Amino acid sequence: MECPHRPACPGCPLAEAPYADQLAQKTARVRRAFAAYAHLPEPAEVLPSAHEVGYRHRLKLPVHVDGNDVAIGLYDASGTRVLDTPDCPVLEPGLRVALDQVRAWAHGRRDLHSVDLRRSHDSGGLQIVLATRDGEVPGGRKGLQALTAAVPGLRSVAVSRADPEGKRVMGTSPRVVWGEPVLEEAVGDTRYRLHPGAFFQVDPRQAERLHTLVRTAVGEARTILDLYSGVGAYALMLAPGRQRVVAVEEVPQAAQAARELAPRNMQVITSRVEDLVVNEPFDVVVLNPARRGADPAVLARAASLARHMVYVSCGPETLARDLDCLAAHGMRPTSVQPIDLFPQTPEVETVVALTRGPSVREWAVPGGRARTPWLGEPSGAVGRPDRVLALVLGEAGQAGELPGARFRTIARVASHSLIRMDLGGPLVPALAALSRNGHPVAGRDPRTARFFAEKAGLVRPFVHVERAGGAAAPLHGDLVAALTALGASPTVVARAGATEGGSGSSGPPTRSRSGRPGGSRRRS
């Protein structure tokens, strides 16, 4: 892709690669994530986007105003300077025109921190959210009038207070100050209402292909439970002709937007998925969580409610982890289809169909058996632990004594200590002593659990039994992914016990393409 702002602008990391090479890199990423769990099937190749440029119908960008000089774009590599990229080639043409109009209006308006601008593919209407330092439209009533005059296609203007710490581009809880409370959009024959700030696919045209994949995976199901449903992207699309569809979404505005368009056979519940109590069975459960994936307890509960599931994910690594968890509860993938929604970037969406099958709970390893971490025990070798790997918070020292154990630090990972413990007694007292000394296990400490879940995809305590009796188990795949996400080098990951040059392995042997039993699959 030709772009006058590369390489200063970091927004399109794959822009210099031919599109065919981009698709190959995305396919390799998904297959690499799945290869960390030997029981997962090899994903199909990534389906291409019909639009390599001009596809984004929404932007969220910081703004820098210095007198009459205005820059609207991403931060540069240093994270301190806002780049000015009004002619960004991945923006949909109408959105690009509107951005230039907003940029002209922003001259002299120093309180403006960032903009969230969306253009409906269906109507061409525009919706803008202004994040400002005082939570008001710069210039007050006159500033608002000037904005609506400068951008003729505006249907809605909302404003929010900018993040005072600067950690988020946009503020929170936008309030509409002019125009319509929602912007209407359509994907295929399904209509949606988008409140300011609502999540929705940035290219409604490619989203239609994504919806087709989901509809095909759902099949002829009569009852559907849609978790993390947002504005009803899948529930509204799937509802026609079904007996019952239940959508669950925690953001009140998104749930209300779906409720306003819901047919009589569709119920919308405003609730955190983690807090939802559901006792009735469904034919299919649809999962569409955020990039960090789903909580293991949610996955266990969802797997108990249906014989089939459809999982839609924008994070291959957390998707593979969650599929490993679902396999422990008897849900096995039957098809894995990635699709490109973000050309010029490494991001990739994946649709997985699952059906009930044999649970993956234990499998053979040299000298014995290994177990899944998703049923209440640490991952690794089965039996009385002899050697354990753990990631603990802070600097634990090079070596030390614990009740019934000795440990040594084998690496520092993101300011924390990756330790190997040789046990002469039970594991729990040794871990408790570490915690008392100020070094709780990563993923167990409630003060930092959210950080590790969002930063590293770590949703359980980082404890792995390397040896138990005669059994020796390689590092489980989710822990390999966590170390990598935290910045550990391939050398450190290998030192931690990952197999095949950094890819962990869990689960029973799969069959090769020739049909012969074996644990090896082609790594991409």
Side-chain angles (χ1 to χ4, degrees):
M1 178 187 73
E2 294 292 331
C3 176
H5 307 292
R6 293 284 300 166
C9 177
C12 297
L14 303 186
E16 284 74 30
Y19 189 53
D21 291 350
Q22 294 184 29
L23 294 175
Q25 290 185 47
K26 293 171 191 267
T27 297
R29 180 186 173 190
V30 182
R31 288 179 175 172
R32 207 163 37 240
F34 276 52
Y37 308 91
H39 61 86
L40 295 182
E42 183 172 75
E45 294 184 353
V46 175
L47 294 177
S49 172
H51 306 275
E52 299 173 30
V53 296
Y55 66 86
R56 290 195 67 102
H57 286 65
R58 184 189 183 187
L59 60 85
K60 292 190 293 181
L61 295 173
V63 180
H64 177 73
V65 180
D66 184 6
N68 282 327
D69 292 329
V70 177
I72 303 181
L74 296 176
Y75 285 104
D76 66 4
S78 71
T80 59
R81 182 170 68 95
V82 176
L83 299 169
D84 191 30
T85 58
D87 53 345
C88 172
V90 298
L91 298 182
E92 184 269 339
L95 188 64
R96 199 181 309 157
V97 170
L99 177 60
D100 200 43
Q101 295 164 343
V102 171
R103 183 172 173 272
W105 167 83
H107 286 179
R109 304 185 189 276
R110 293 177 178 272
D111 286 342
L112 184 60
H113 176 270
S114 51
V115 297
D116 178 351
L117 183 62
R118 187 195 318 259
R119 184 171 188 266
S120 168
H121 174 65
D122 178 61
S123 68
L126 293 157
Q127 179 187 73
I128 192 169
V129 182
L130 308 173
T132 64
R133 290 171 179 82
D134 62 359
E136 302 294 337
V137 175
R141 183 182 297 275
K142 289 185 177 180
L144 179 59
Q145 291 174 343
L147 175 62
T148 57
V151 189
L154 271 183
R155 304 284 178 84
S156 172
V157 178
V159 66
S160 66
R161 188 180 298 274
D163 178 12
E165 297 182 0
K167 294 181 179 179
R168 297 186 304 270
V169 172
M170 298 303 301
T172 57
S173 303
R175 57 187 176 88
V176 176
V177 295
W178 178 88
E180 302 166 6
V182 295
L183 183 69
E184 294 207 353
E185 184 58 279
V187 175
D189 295 329
T190 308
R191 302 197 66 78
Y192 300 97
R193 291 180 178 177
L194 308 179
H195 61 273
F199 170 80
F200 202 72
Q201 295 294 349
V202 298
D203 186 356
R205 301 163 298 181
Q206 186 71 349
E208 187 170 359
R209 300 187 69 190
L210 175 64
H211 285 205
T212 298
L213 291 175
V214 173
R215 186 186 298 110
T216 300
V218 166
E220 300 301 319
R222 301 293 296 160
T223 58
I224 299 168
L225 175 63
D226 183 12
L227 302 179
Y228 310 99
S229 60
V231 296
Y234 300 129
L236 289 169
M237 177 266 294
L238 293 168
R242 315 284 179 174
Q243 178 182 327
R244 176 166 160 77
V245 174
V246 177
V248 182
E249 170 56 40
E250 69 173 288
V251 178
Q253 300 97 320
Q256 181 59 28
R259 193 175 288 116
E260 290 170 357
L261 293 174
R264 295 181 62 183
N265 64 332
M266 176 175 158
Q267 178 187 6
V268 181
I269 299 174
T270 306
S271 169
R272 292 176 72 246
V273 171
E274 293 78 5
D275 299 334
L276 183 69
V277 177
V278 179
N279 296 317
E280 62 179 300
F282 290 84
D283 293 338
V284 173
V285 173
V286 177
L287 280 168
N288 183 27
R291 185 182 307 275
R292 64 179 177 269
D295 184 86
V298 168
L299 297 171
R301 197 156 58 244
S304 71
L305 295 174
R307 293 192 57 81
H308 303 279
M309 295 179 69
V310 178
Y311 194 137
V312 185
S313 169
C314 61
E317 294 77 20
T318 52
L319 169 62
R321 177 204 69 199
D322 286 358
L323 294 179
D324 183 52
C325 180
L326 286 169
H329 297 285
M331 277 290 175
R332 308 296 298 274
T334 56
S335 69
V336 181
Q337 181 58 69
I339 179 171
D340 188 14
L341 303 181
F342 297 93
Q344 319 305 331
T345 80
E347 304 306 323
V348 57
E349 200 92 358
T350 307
V351 178
V352 182
L354 303 98
T355 193
R356 189 161 301 285
S359 299
V360 178
R361 301 188 174 197
E362 288 191 2
W363 52 91
V365 294
R369 306 281 294 172
R371 66 176 159 232
T372 182
W374 308 115
L375 300 174
E377 298 288 340
S379 61
V382 176
R384 180 174 177 175
D386 300 322
R387 176 171 286 181
V388 171
L389 191 77
L391 182 68
V392 300
L393 274 59
E395 173 58 72
Q398 285 299 108
E401 298 276 347
L402 299 167
R406 293 183 177 183
F407 77 88
R408 65 186 183 281
T409 298
I410 65 173
R412 294 279 288 162
V413 180
S415 79
H416 304 301
S417 302
L418 185 63
I419 67 171
R420 180 164 278 136
M421 293 188 290
D422 290 309
L423 299 173
L427 172 61
V428 172
L431 294 177
L434 278 166
S435 184
R436 287 194 301 271
N437 293 338
H439 307 296
V441 171
R444 174 172 288 164
D445 174 49
R447 297 166 299 175
T448 58
R450 181 174 181 137
F451 165 81
F452 282 106
E454 295 184 354
K455 172 70 175 178
L458 182 66
V459 293
R460 66 174 178 99
F462 194 119
V463 178
H464 178 77
V465 180
E466 295 184 302
R467 290 193 329 216
L475 191 62
H476 202 78
D478 69 318
L479 302 186
V480 174
L483 287 178
T484 302
L486 289 169
S489 68
T491 300
V492 168
V493 175
R495 194 183 307 157
T499 60
E500 300 195 31
S503 292
S505 178
S506 69
T510 58
R511 290 184 177 271
S512 67
R513 290 176 179 265
S514 65
R516 295 188 298 272
S520 64
R521 286 191 288 115
R522 179 167 62 89
R523 260 62 169 174
S524 299

